Amino acid sequence: QFQLVESGGGLVQAGGSLRLTCAASGRTSSNYALGWFRQIPGKEREFVAVISWSGRTYYGDSVKGLFTISRVNAKNTVYLQMNSLKPEDTAVYYCAAARVFYSDSRPDPYEHWGQGIQVTVSS
């Protein structure tokens, strides 16, 4: 069974940084693209970033230049470094896995999802 577990969330002041970690386990494949989405209650899930097995990346417009996605294939782990955080970055952040890398913001290609982790940015 494919599992994704997020960690590293919490409360941070505006302008601060956080690094989220997502560990994949179970029937994993290093060829999976790994991505991050976020969601605020009452709103649609928003694409944040995705990285392919080879390191190709694609970012949502709202986080370009502020967030960095990376991965360590040997550890089946993906990271999201979030800098210059703003109150509007407050959301539940989800890790997701797709068989194919897409330069696309749609959640449809992602087959596996983590439970999500809260990130709160105070003003």
Side-chain angles (χ1 to χ4, degrees):
Q1 186 175 358
F2 199 121
Q3 285 189 318
L4 298 168
V5 178
E6 302 97 339
S7 61
L11 174 64
V12 63
Q13 288 189 332
S17 298
L18 276 177
R19 188 177 81 157
L20 301 183
T21 299
C22 174
S25 63
R27 294 173 58 188
T28 59
S29 168
S30 60
N31 290 329
Y32 272 80
L34 296 174
W36 290 95
F37 286 75
R38 64 187 182 184
Q39 191 168 22
I40 300 170
K43 294 195 174 182
E44 291 187 357
R45 196 162 290 191
E46 178 189 10
F47 170 77
V48 175
V50 61
I51 186 168
S52 70
W53 173 79
S54 63
R56 185 180 175 189
T57 59
Y58 179 71
Y59 292 91
D61 289 341
S62 62
V63 305
K64 282 180 183 176
L66 298 173
F67 293 6
T68 302
I69 191 170
S70 61
R71 66 187 291 168
V72 177
N73 290 333
K75 296 183 178 180
N76 287 320
T77 300
V78 62
Y79 306 95
L80 184 69
Q81 178 66 42
M82 306 185 292
N83 297 328
S84 302
L85 284 161
K86 308 168 189 173
E88 50 264 44
D89 294 316
T90 296
V92 176
Y93 284 71
Y94 295 89
C95 179
R99 292 183 186 270
V100 179
F101 172 85
Y102 293 94
S103 296
D104 192 291
S105 63
R106 294 174 300 155
D108 298 355
Y110 294 85
E111 302 175 30
H112 306 283
W113 292 84
Q115 291 298 309
I117 191 163
Q118 179 70 43
V119 171
T120 302
V121 184
S122 63
S123 57

